[in-house]
Coordinates of all heavy atoms in Angstrom, one line a residue:
D147 N 86.2 141.4 6.7 CA 85.9 139.9 6.4 C 85.0 139.4 7.6 O 84.0 138.7 7.4 CB 87.2 139.2 6.2 CG 87.9 139.4 5.0 OD1 87.3 140.1 4.1 OD2 89.1 138.9 4.9
A148 N 85.3 139.7 8.8 CA 84.7 139.2 10.0 C 83.2 139.9 10.1 O 82.3 139.1 10.3 CB 85.4 139.4 11.3
V149 N 83.2 141.1 9.9 CA 81.9 141.8 9.9 C 80.9 141.3 8.8 O 79.8 141.1 9.1 CB 82.0 143.3 9.9 CG1 80.8 144.0 9.8 CG2 82.7 143.8 11.2
E150 N 81.5 141.1 7.7 CA 80.7 140.7 6.4 C 80.2 139.3 6.6 O 79.0 138.9 6.1 CB 81.5 140.9 5.4 CG 81.5 142.5 4.9 CD 82.6 142.7 3.7 OE1 83.0 141.6 3.1 OE2 82.9 143.9 3.5
A151 N 81.0 138.5 7.3 CA 80.6 137.1 7.5 C 79.4 137.0 8.6 O 78.6 136.0 8.6 CB 81.8 136.2 7.8
A152 N 79.5 138.0 9.7 CA 78.6 137.7 10.7 C 77.3 138.5 10.6 O 76.3 138.3 11.4 CB 79.3 138.2 12.0
L153 N 77.4 139.6 9.8 CA 76.3 140.5 9.6 C 75.8 140.7 8.2 O 76.5 140.5 7.3 CB 76.6 141.9 10.2 CG 77.0 142.0 11.7 CD1 77.6 143.2 12.0 CD2 75.8 141.6 12.6
C154 N 74.6 141.4 8.1 CA 74.0 141.8 6.8 C 74.5 143.0 6.3 O 73.9 144.0 6.8 CB 72.7 141.5 6.6 SG 71.9 141.7 5.0
T155 N 75.6 143.3 5.6 CA 76.1 144.5 5.3 C 76.3 144.7 3.7 O 76.1 143.7 2.9 CB 77.5 144.8 5.9 OG1 78.5 143.9 5.3 CG2 77.3 144.5 7.5
D156 N 76.5 145.9 3.4 CA 76.8 146.2 1.9 C 78.3 146.4 1.7 O 78.6 147.5 2.1 CB 75.9 147.4 1.5 CG 76.0 147.7 0.0 OD1 76.9 147.1 -0.7 OD2 75.2 148.5 -0.5
P157 N 79.0 145.6 1.2 CA 80.4 145.7 1.0 C 80.8 146.9 0.1 O 81.9 147.4 0.1 CB 80.9 144.4 0.3 CG 79.8 143.4 0.8 CD 78.5 144.1 0.8
A158 N 79.7 147.5 -0.7 CA 80.0 148.6 -1.6 C 79.8 149.8 -0.8 O 80.2 150.9 -1.4 CB 79.1 148.6 -2.8
R159 N 79.3 149.9 0.3 CA 79.2 151.1 1.2 C 79.9 151.0 2.5 O 79.3 150.8 3.6 CB 77.6 151.3 1.4 CG 76.9 151.4 0.0 CD 75.5 151.8 0.2 NE 75.4 153.3 0.8 CZ 74.5 153.8 1.4 NH1 73.4 153.0 1.9 NH2 74.6 155.0 1.9
V160 N 81.2 150.9 2.4 CA 82.1 151.0 3.6 C 82.8 152.3 3.8 O 83.3 152.7 2.7 CB 83.1 149.8 3.6 CG1 84.1 149.9 4.9 CG2 82.5 148.4 3.6
Y161 N 82.7 153.0 4.9 CA 83.2 154.3 5.0 C 84.1 154.3 6.1 O 83.9 153.6 7.2 CB 82.1 155.4 5.2 CG 81.0 155.2 4.1 CD1 79.8 154.7 4.6 CD2 81.2 155.6 2.8 CE1 78.8 154.6 3.6 CE2 80.3 155.4 1.8 CZ 78.9 154.9 2.3 OH 78.0 154.7 1.3
A162 N 85.2 155.2 6.2 CA 86.2 155.2 7.3 C 86.2 156.7 7.7 O 86.5 157.5 7.0 CB 87.5 154.6 6.8
T163 N 86.2 156.7 9.2 CA 86.4 158.1 9.7 C 87.3 157.8 10.9 O 87.6 156.6 11.4 CB 85.1 158.8 10.2 OG1 85.3 160.0 10.7 CG2 84.4 157.9 11.2
G164 N 87.8 158.9 11.5 CA 88.6 158.8 12.8 C 89.1 160.1 13.1 O 89.0 161.1 12.6
K165 N 89.8 160.1 14.4 CA 90.1 161.5 14.9 C 91.7 161.4 15.0 O 92.3 160.4 15.5 CB 89.5 161.8 16.2 CG 90.0 163.2 16.8 CD 89.2 163.5 18.2 CE 89.9 164.8 18.6 NZ 91.2 164.6 19.3
S166 N 92.4 162.5 14.8 CA 93.8 162.5 15.0 C 94.6 161.6 14.3 O 94.4 161.5 13.1 CB 94.1 162.8 16.5 OG 95.3 163.1 16.7
N167 N 95.4 160.7 15.0 CA 96.1 159.6 14.4 C 95.1 158.6 13.7 O 95.5 158.1 12.6 CB 96.8 158.8 15.5 CG 97.5 157.6 15.2 OD1 97.5 156.6 15.8 ND2 98.1 157.7 14.0
G168 N 93.9 158.5 14.2 CA 93.0 157.6 13.6 C 92.5 158.3 12.3 O 92.2 157.5 11.4
G169 N 92.3 159.6 12.3 CA 91.9 160.2 11.1 C 92.9 160.1 10.0 O 92.6 160.0 8.9
A170 N 94.2 160.3 10.4 CA 95.2 160.2 9.3 C 95.3 158.8 8.9 O 95.7 158.5 7.7 CB 96.7 160.5 10.1
F171 N 95.0 157.8 9.7 CA 94.9 156.3 9.2 C 94.0 156.1 8.0 O 94.1 155.3 7.1 CB 94.7 155.3 10.4 CG 94.8 154.0 9.9 CD1 95.9 153.3 9.4 CD2 93.7 153.2 9.9 CE1 95.9 152.0 8.8 CE2 93.6 151.9 9.4 CZ 94.7 151.2 8.9
T172 N 92.9 156.9 8.1 CA 91.8 156.8 7.0 C 92.5 157.2 5.7 O 92.0 156.7 4.6 CB 90.6 157.5 7.3 OG1 90.8 159.0 7.2 CG2 90.0 157.2 8.6
T173 N 93.5 158.1 5.7 CA 94.1 158.5 4.5 C 94.9 157.4 3.9 O 95.2 157.4 2.7 CB 94.7 159.9 4.5 OG1 95.9 159.7 5.4 CG2 93.9 161.0 5.3
L174 N 95.6 156.7 4.8 CA 96.4 155.6 4.4 C 95.6 154.4 3.8 O 95.9 153.8 2.7 CB 97.2 155.1 5.5 CG 98.4 154.1 5.3 CD1 99.3 154.2 6.5 CD2 98.0 152.8 5.0
L175 N 94.4 154.2 4.4 CA 93.4 153.3 3.8 C 93.0 153.8 2.3 O 92.7 152.9 1.5 CB 92.2 153.2 4.7 CG 92.4 152.4 6.0 CD1 91.0 152.4 6.8 CD2 92.8 151.0 5.8
A176 N 92.8 155.1 2.2 CA 92.4 155.4 0.8 C 93.5 155.2 -0.1 O 93.3 155.1 -1.3 CB 92.2 157.0 0.8
C177 N 94.7 155.1 0.3 CA 95.8 154.7 -0.6 C 95.9 153.2 -0.8 O 96.0 152.6 -1.8 CB 97.2 155.0 0.0 SG 97.6 156.8 -0.3
A178 N 95.7 152.5 0.3 CA 96.0 151.0 0.3 C 94.9 150.0 0.3 O 94.9 148.9 0.2 CB 96.9 150.8 1.6
A179 N 93.5 150.6 0.5 CA 92.5 149.8 0.6 C 91.4 150.4 -0.1 O 90.2 150.3 0.2 CB 92.1 149.4 2.0
S180 N 91.6 151.0 -1.2 CA 90.6 151.8 -2.0 C 89.6 150.8 -2.6 O 88.5 151.3 -3.1 CB 91.2 152.8 -3.0 OG 92.0 151.9 -4.1
E181 N 89.8 149.6 -2.8 CA 89.0 148.6 -3.3 C 87.9 148.2 -2.3 O 86.8 147.6 -2.7 CB 89.7 147.4 -3.8 CG 90.2 146.4 -2.7 CD 91.5 146.8 -2.1 OE1 91.9 148.0 -2.2 OE2 92.2 145.9 -1.6
R182 N 88.0 148.7 -1.0 CA 87.1 148.3 0.0 C 86.5 149.5 0.8 O 85.4 149.3 1.3 CB 87.7 147.4 1.0 CG 88.1 146.1 0.5 CD 88.4 145.0 1.5 NE 87.2 144.3 2.0 CZ 87.2 143.1 2.8 NH1 88.3 142.7 3.2 NH2 86.0 142.7 3.2
V183 N 87.2 150.7 0.6 CA 86.5 151.8 1.4 C 86.0 152.8 0.3 O 86.8 153.3 -0.5 CB 87.7 152.4 2.2 CG1 87.2 153.7 2.9 CG2 88.2 151.5 3.3
A184 N 84.8 153.1 0.3 CA 84.2 154.0 -0.5 C 84.5 155.6 -0.4 O 84.4 156.2 -1.4 CB 82.7 153.8 -0.6
A185 N 84.6 156.0 0.9 CA 84.8 157.4 1.1 C 85.4 157.4 2.6 O 85.2 156.6 3.5 CB 83.6 158.3 1.0
I186 N 86.1 158.6 2.8 CA 86.8 158.8 4.1 C 86.3 160.1 4.8 O 86.0 161.0 3.9 CB 88.3 158.6 4.2 CG1 89.0 159.7 3.2 CG2 88.7 157.2 3.6 CD1 90.5 159.7 3.3
A187 N 86.6 160.2 6.0 CA 86.2 161.5 6.7 C 87.1 161.6 7.9 O 86.6 161.5 9.1 CB 84.8 161.4 7.2
P188 N 88.4 162.1 7.7 CA 89.3 162.4 8.7 C 88.9 163.7 9.6 O 88.5 164.6 9.0 CB 90.7 162.5 8.1 CG 90.3 162.9 6.7 CD 89.0 162.3 6.4
V189 N 89.2 163.6 10.9 CA 88.9 164.8 11.8 C 90.1 165.0 12.6 O 90.7 164.2 13.2 CB 87.7 164.5 12.7 CG1 87.5 165.6 13.7 CG2 86.4 164.0 12.0
A190 N 90.5 166.3 12.5 CA 91.7 166.8 13.2 C 92.8 165.9 12.9 O 93.7 165.4 13.9 CB 91.4 166.8 14.8
A191 N 93.1 165.5 11.7 CA 93.9 164.3 11.4 C 95.5 164.8 11.6 O 95.9 165.8 11.2 CB 93.8 164.0 9.9
A192 N 96.1 163.8 12.1 CA 97.6 164.0 12.4 C 98.3 163.5 11.3 O 98.8 162.2 11.2 CB 98.0 163.2 13.6
L193 N 98.5 164.3 10.2 CA 99.0 163.7 8.9 C 100.5 163.7 8.7 O 101.1 164.3 7.9 CB 98.5 164.7 7.8 CG 96.8 164.7 7.7 CD1 96.4 165.9 6.9 CD2 96.4 163.4 7.1
Y194 N 101.1 162.9 9.6 CA 102.5 162.6 9.5 C 102.7 161.8 8.2 O 102.0 161.1 7.7 CB 103.0 161.6 10.7 CG 102.9 162.4 12.0 CD1 101.9 162.0 12.9 CD2 103.8 163.3 12.4 CE1 101.7 162.6 14.1 CE2 103.8 163.8 13.7 CZ 102.8 163.6 14.4 OH 102.6 164.1 15.8
P195 N 104.0 162.1 7.6 CA 104.3 161.3 6.4 C 104.3 159.8 6.7 O 105.1 159.4 7.6 CB 105.8 161.8 6.0 CG 105.8 163.2 6.6 CD 105.0 163.0 7.8
H196 N 103.5 158.9 6.0 CA 103.5 157.5 6.4 C 104.5 156.8 5.8 O 104.6 155.5 6.1 CB 102.0 157.0 6.2 CG 101.5 157.2 4.9 ND1 102.2 157.0 3.7 CD2 100.4 157.8 4.4 CE1 101.4 157.3 2.7 NE2 100.4 157.7 3.0
G197 N 105.2 157.2 4.9 CA 106.5 156.5 4.4 C 106.1 155.4 3.5 O 107.0 154.5 3.1
V198 N 104.9 155.4 2.8 CA 104.5 154.4 1.8 C 104.1 155.1 0.5 O 103.6 156.2 0.6 CB 103.5 153.5 2.3 CG1 103.9 152.7 3.5 CG2 102.2 154.2 2.6
D199 N 104.3 154.5 -0.6 CA 103.9 155.0 -1.9 C 102.3 154.8 -1.8 O 101.8 154.0 -1.3 CB 104.3 154.3 -3.1 CG 105.9 154.7 -3.2 OD1 106.4 155.5 -2.5 OD2 106.6 154.0 -4.0
C200 N 101.6 155.6 -2.8 CA 100.2 155.7 -2.8 C 99.8 155.2 -4.1 O 100.1 156.0 -5.1 CB 99.6 157.0 -2.4 SG 97.8 157.0 -2.2
D201 N 99.1 154.1 -4.3 CA 98.8 153.6 -5.5 C 97.3 153.0 -5.5 O 97.1 151.8 -5.6 CB 99.7 152.5 -6.1 CG 99.4 152.2 -7.5 OD1 98.9 152.9 -8.3 OD2 99.8 150.8 -7.7
P202 N 96.2 153.9 -5.3 CA 94.9 153.3 -5.1 C 94.4 152.8 -6.5 O 94.9 153.3 -7.5 CB 94.1 154.6 -4.6 CG 94.8 155.7 -5.3 CD 96.3 155.4 -5.2

Side-chain angles (χ1 to χ4, degrees):
D147 288 346
V149 168
E150 290 169 6
L153 298 171
C154 190
T155 66
D156 183 348
R159 300 188 69 205
V160 174
Y161 312 110
T163 186
K165 180 178 177 286
S166 194
N167 171 221
F171 180 65
T172 69
T173 72
L174 196 157
L175 289 178
C177 285
S180 61
E181 74 278 19
R182 296 195 84 172
V183 176
I186 64 169
V189 179
L193 296 164
Y194 294 99
H196 51 53
V198 297
D199 291 347
C200 190
D201 186 30

